[in-house]
Amino acid sequence: MVRSTRSIRKVSFLFLVFCTAFALLLPFQASAKAIKPGKFTFAQDHLKVKENAETITITVRRISGKDGEVSVDYCNCSYSAAAGIDFIHVSGTLVFRDGETEKSFTVPIIDDKIKESKEAFLIRLKNPTGGATLDPHYSDYVEIIDND
């Protein structure tokens, strides 16, 4: 009977040691496997484009992480410039593969040959997926500089 009590104590002690070690090491394993999908932002602030440039390329960056496949929708809309008259409305989805940090989309600009003051249209990011989020700089404007 004495032998079995010692065996139980030994097994209990080993179990306690194993559980303590597991509890102490678990946070290190979790942090080593932390996935950082990142957040989306525009590469530049307050873009400008000449009216006769034909297009402007807008770059979206994935910052503060690059793990996993994520995506974000983009669109533009009228502000003081009118869609279909000063620029072409575009929208779509940018898909970032694991490790990718930069994607671009293009907005066609219409040279209307009319003397105008400064005009602008809005660009916006929305609906991030895959755990990614939007940076506070998820919306901006593009100024069209008249050439007439």
Side-chain angles (χ1 to χ4, degrees):
M1 194 67 140
V2 173
R3 208 173 218 183
S4 65
T5 304
R6 285 184 185 167
S7 295
I8 291 173
R9 283 186 194 164
K10 190 175 185 179
V11 169
S12 296
F13 175 75
L14 290 173
F15 181 75
L16 181 62
V17 168
F18 175 79
C19 289
T20 303
F22 182 78
L24 291 174
L25 294 175
L26 184 61
F28 294 111
Q29 291 175 335
S31 65
K33 294 181 181 180
I35 295 174
K36 294 183 178 181
K39 53 187 174 180
F40 297 110
T41 188
F42 290 110
Q44 301 97 355
D45 289 337
H46 316 304
L47 294 163
K48 295 181 181 185
V49 61
K50 290 185 179 179
E51 187 179 50
N52 62 351
E54 296 183 6
T55 63
I56 183 168
T57 299
I58 298 164
T59 302
V60 176
R61 288 200 177 129
R62 179 185 188 183
I63 60 173
S64 302
K66 57 183 179 177
D67 297 336
E69 184 173 299
V70 296
S71 67
V72 66
D73 294 339
Y74 65 87
C75 64
N76 65 350
C77 61
S78 297
Y79 184 62
S80 56
I85 297 171
D86 300 305
F87 68 96
I88 302 297
H89 171 74
V90 297
S91 63
T93 302
L94 299 173
V95 177
F96 291 73
R97 306 274 185 246
D98 185 47
E100 289 184 322
T101 59
E102 204 169 271
K103 295 280 184 176
S104 298
F105 64 94
T106 302
V107 177
I109 305 299
I110 300 170
D111 187 357
D112 58 16
K113 309 293 184 204
I114 299 170
K115 181 83 172 142
E116 303 168 296
S117 59
K118 293 179 184 178
E119 298 178 302
F121 61 89
L122 299 174
I123 52 176
R124 183 172 179 217
L125 301 173
K126 58 185 180 176
N127 304 325
T129 67
T133 59
L134 296 176
D135 184 72
H137 185 218
Y138 69 90
S139 182
D140 208 344
Y141 66 89
V142 177
E143 184 180 329
I144 301 173
I145 301 168
D146 188 46
N147 66 327
D148 300 311

